[in-house]
Each structure stands twice: as C-alpha cells, then as structure tokens.
Amino acid sequence: MEELVGFLGLGVMGQPMALNLARSGTPLVVWNRTAAKAAPLRAAGAQVAAAPSDVPERARIVIMMLAGGEAIDEALDRRGPGFGANVAGRTIVHMGTTSPGYSRGLCADVRAAGGRYVEAPVSGSRVPAEQGRLVAMLAGDGPDVDEVRPLLRPMCHETFACGPVPNALLMKLSVNLFLITTVTGLAEAFHFADRHGLDRRLFLDVLDAGPMASGVSRMKAPKLLDRDFAVQAAALDVLRNNRLIADAARDAGLASPLLDVCHALFRETVALGHEQADMVAVLNALEARTDGGPPA
C-alpha cells in the first residue's frame, strides 16, 4: 500500500493545491481548522484527520500550507510535549510564507527533534494554484529536497533549488516585492487613465499589445476594469507579505522605497475595509487619496 502524504491547511491556496495532489493519485491525509473546507478533499479520495496531530501519525511527509508561524507552531505543538512525536522521522515541508528567521528557527527545532525540514514556498495566487501552475522554491539538505521535489509536480510547473534554509523564503520575498510593486503600479496607471477620462478598455488593449503585458497584467487588469475584487491574493495577505519583506530589508540594511510606498497603500486598503478583497483593491486606496487623502 502506497504511503500517505500529509497536508495541513486548506485555505485559499492550500485547498486547490491539495486537490491537485489528490487528483494526481497521491494518497493524502488532510486537516484544516475549518472542517467544512476538507469536504472537497474527502470527495477526491483523501482521508480527513480530526486533529493536526493525526496527520504525522499517519504520514511520513507532512506538507504545511498554514497562515503564519503561530498556526504552524500550534499545529505541530512546537512549544508542547507533542512536538517530538509530530516531527521525529518525518519530513516537514513548509510551503507557506513566514519570515526567514522564523523558518530558520523551525528548521533547527525540527532537526534537533530528529526530523527533516524543507522550505518550499510558492509563487502564484489562487488561479495558478487551481491550474497546478505554481512555481516552488526549495531549500534544505540536498537529499531532503530531492525527495520532496517530485511530490510537488501536480501543484507546481517549475521547481527551483535555492540552497540552504532560509534561501527559499528569501527568494519568495524577492519575487513578492516585484509582484506587489507591479500590481500597485498597474492599479495606479489604471487610476490615472480613468481619471483622465480615457476609455478604460482601450487602455487595457494598448497595455496588452505592448511590452508591458505580462501574465500578471492579463490576470489583474480585467479585474480593475470590472472592479472585480473577488480574492485571488487577499489584500491583508499582501500587507503581511509586505511587512515580511520590509523587515527582511531592514534587517539587512537595505533601502526599499517602492515597497515602503506600497506598504502604506495596502495598510490604507485594509483600513478601508478591503482586507479580504483581492490585491487589486489597492485601487480604493489610490482613489481615496485622490478624493480626500488617506484614511486616518
């Protein structure tokens, strides 16, 4: 009987990722804090665990797509007596986004308890997750990375080995810096064209025909046109990522002026009540500045 793979976290990204694994024939045991989100996985043939500790009991490789270090620590009982049993002899695969320093510390704790650890954060939002078109960055000991890499194929169309922990997360933050500034720039350009009375669809057509067109613009520009803020990458998650990047920049003594402006705009977007809207909702912060200044 083929051994089970564990998957913790079935949110906006985790659910389609786990579904792609299940549909590829990977035997899964999954857990999510909100049990209803596991229903599609059960329908796809996965086992559903009642508690996070049930997953490492049944699986030697445990993938985590959880929302931050606090959720990871709780799921693994990192500060409690169950941590050793949860990680010893297991390969813990951290696919979410946390600070590089957090991941470095978790790696040390997992290894000290007799486990193996691989960072595997991904670049992409919900649509690429649904399509199995994410890009994974991996860090860890070479044999551990080599073991995990084939497992990611149903979720990721490209994987890149980045060296030791936490280089994969640093690479992810580098990519996210470009994504955040790019989408913010696109929203500002759209706002500029709109407020000058230009045909907004024509603006999109001109953009799409020229050298600035990209997969990001083709996904996000129609959402701006339609004011479609249905979530692909939530504004609150973007703000959290922005903070992680800014902290990493400060830690290294790096200037990040474009990121810092985006940080303020996404903070304003969240303050305006758009925390669960897609990141293109930063348009609302730009409009608020134009119409009356940033929110208090």
Side-chain angles (χ1 to χ4, degrees):
M1 184 176 178
E2 196 172 1
E3 69 176 0
L4 291 169
V5 172
F7 201 107
L8 299 171
L10 302 173
V12 170
M13 295 287 289
Q15 187 189 73
M17 290 166 67
L19 279 170
N20 282 332
L21 276 178
R23 290 166 180 164
S24 75
T26 303
L28 284 183
V29 53
V30 305
W31 174 84
N32 192 70
R33 185 183 301 278
T34 305
K37 291 188 176 181
L41 273 298
R42 191 190 303 275
Q47 298 180 25
V48 177
S53 60
D54 294 341
V55 174
E57 283 183 5
R58 304 186 212 174
R60 186 179 57 82
I61 298 176
V62 178
I63 296 170
M64 299 185 300
M65 194 64 185
L66 293 166
E70 184 176 337
I72 293 169
D73 290 351
E74 183 178 348
L76 293 177
D77 195 24
R78 187 177 175 196
R79 309 302 177 194
F83 180 69
N86 286 334
V87 304
R90 275 74 173 173
T91 299
I92 304 299
V93 184
H94 174 23
M95 296 194 74
T97 304
T98 60
S99 74
Y102 170 85
S103 184
R104 186 187 292 112
L106 178 61
C107 176
D109 287 352
V110 169
R111 288 176 176 172
R116 294 170 295 279
Y117 183 84
V118 174
E119 274 182 355
V122 293
S123 179
S125 58
R126 184 176 182 89
V127 171
E130 290 171 344
Q131 297 171 342
R133 301 287 295 173
L134 297 170
V135 175
M137 295 141 279
L138 294 93
D141 288 346
D144 300 335
V145 168
D146 290 343
E147 179 186 35
V148 167
R149 205 169 190 171
L151 183 62
L152 305 184
R153 286 178 188 145
M155 301 181 285
C156 306
H157 77 110
E158 293 277 6
T159 58
F160 295 91
C162 299
V165 174
N167 280 8
L169 272 165
L170 287 168
M171 188 68 76
K172 165 70 183 288
L173 296 183
S174 301
V175 171
N176 276 8
L177 195 161
F178 184 40
L179 172 66
I180 292 167
T181 55
T182 297
V183 172
T184 305
L186 174 62
E188 185 171 332
F190 181 87
H191 178 58
F192 179 89
D194 180 36
R195 291 303 178 95
H196 277 87
L198 299 180
D199 183 317
R200 294 175 297 173
R201 184 172 295 279
L202 180 61
F203 166 69
L204 264 62
D205 290 342
V206 172
L207 174 66
D208 198 47
M212 300 306 295
S214 68
V216 169
S217 70
R218 288 172 178 143
M219 182 179 298
K220 297 300 186 184
K223 290 177 72 64
L224 288 166
L225 179 65
D226 297 336
R227 296 191 75 89
D228 170 17
F229 301 136
V231 66
Q232 294 172 343
L236 182 59
D237 291 335
V238 173
L239 178 60
R240 289 169 176 159
N241 272 261
N242 205 313
R243 287 171 178 156
L244 291 175
I245 303 166
D247 288 346
R250 299 296 89 82
D251 289 346
L254 303 177
S256 57
L258 291 178
L259 180 76
D260 296 343
V261 170
C262 294
H263 198 162
L265 284 166
F266 276 97
R267 188 166 57 241
E268 291 161 24
T269 302
V270 169
L272 287 165
H274 303 290
E275 65 273 9
Q276 295 306 319
D278 188 71
M279 66 187 300
V280 295
V282 72
L283 177 65
N284 291 281
L286 293 163
E287 291 172 339
R289 285 196 181 196
T290 293
D291 296 335

